[in-house]
Amino acid sequence: MITPWTHEVGPGNAPPEYPRPQMVREDWLNLNGTWRFVPGPSDDRCCAPESVERPGHYLRHHESRVSEAENDGSDLFAEDATWCGVPGQGGYGVSLRSYTCPDKFLRHYGSELRLAGMDGTNVPHDTARAVRRM
């Protein structure tokens, strides 16, 4: 997923206290980069975003946060790393719906990717504009 700031942000200039001072990051992992969509490990009609730079690492949700994680081979990992493409919930593009939480989608808020609903009550930004073919 590429943002207009992909090439401007890196570990050297990311504020460690963002988004809140109580959440200081000791290690910063940039999720910008190239992701390939491979068949979902829990449902091959869906997909799993795999890092091109770090093969075997996927976007996975855990407690409503989405981050890159190495495949540990567990069924839970497979389910949490599986995302189903649906017509863009904002009226454009493709929205990625969670395999394990079918009422939740991959959403962007601040500097984080989150697992959230589309009703606008908890995380306002769908990632449909960021998902594109390369």
Side-chain angles (χ1 to χ4, degrees), residues 3-86:
T3 71
W5 310 278
T6 297
H7 304 291
E8 297 176 19
V9 177
N13 65 358
E17 72 279 0
Y18 191 86
R20 293 177 293 280
Q22 68 270 30
M23 298 186 74
V24 172
R25 296 181 246 177
E26 293 179 17
D27 296 313
W28 189 81
L29 179 62
N30 184 349
L31 294 179
N32 287 334
T34 306
W35 296 83
R36 75 176 125 242
F37 292 86
V38 299
S42 288
D43 185 339
D44 62 9
R45 297 170 297 175
C46 297
C47 67
E50 180 184 23
S51 172
V52 170
E53 292 82 13
R54 295 172 47 98
H57 290 244
Y58 299 85
L59 287 184
R60 178 212 186 153
H61 70 84
H62 177 71
E63 295 181 357
S64 296
R65 288 211 153 82
V66 177
S67 63
E68 176 189 313
E70 186 173 13
N71 187 350
D72 65 11
S74 70
D75 289 342
L76 180 60
F77 182 94
E79 292 169 355
D80 290 348
T82 299
W83 302 87
C84 301
V86 299

Side-chain angles (χ1 to χ4, degrees), residues 58-128:
Y58 299 85
L59 287 184
R60 178 212 186 153
H61 70 84
H62 177 71
E63 295 181 357
S64 296
R65 288 211 153 82
V66 177
S67 63
E68 176 189 313
E70 186 173 13
N71 187 350
D72 65 11
S74 70
D75 289 342
L76 180 60
F77 182 94
E79 292 169 355
D80 290 348
T82 299
W83 302 87
C84 301
V86 299
Q89 299 297 289
Y92 49 82
V94 175
S95 292
L96 296 177
R97 179 179 51 80
S98 168
Y99 175 79
T100 52
C101 304
D103 62 332
K104 305 287 184 188
F105 295 81
L106 182 63
R107 309 290 303 282
H108 177 261
Y109 183 68
S111 66
E112 296 183 314
L113 288 178
R114 302 292 303 244
L115 179 67
M118 294 300 289
D119 58 8
T121 57
N122 47 6
V123 179
H125 306 291
D126 187 19
T127 58

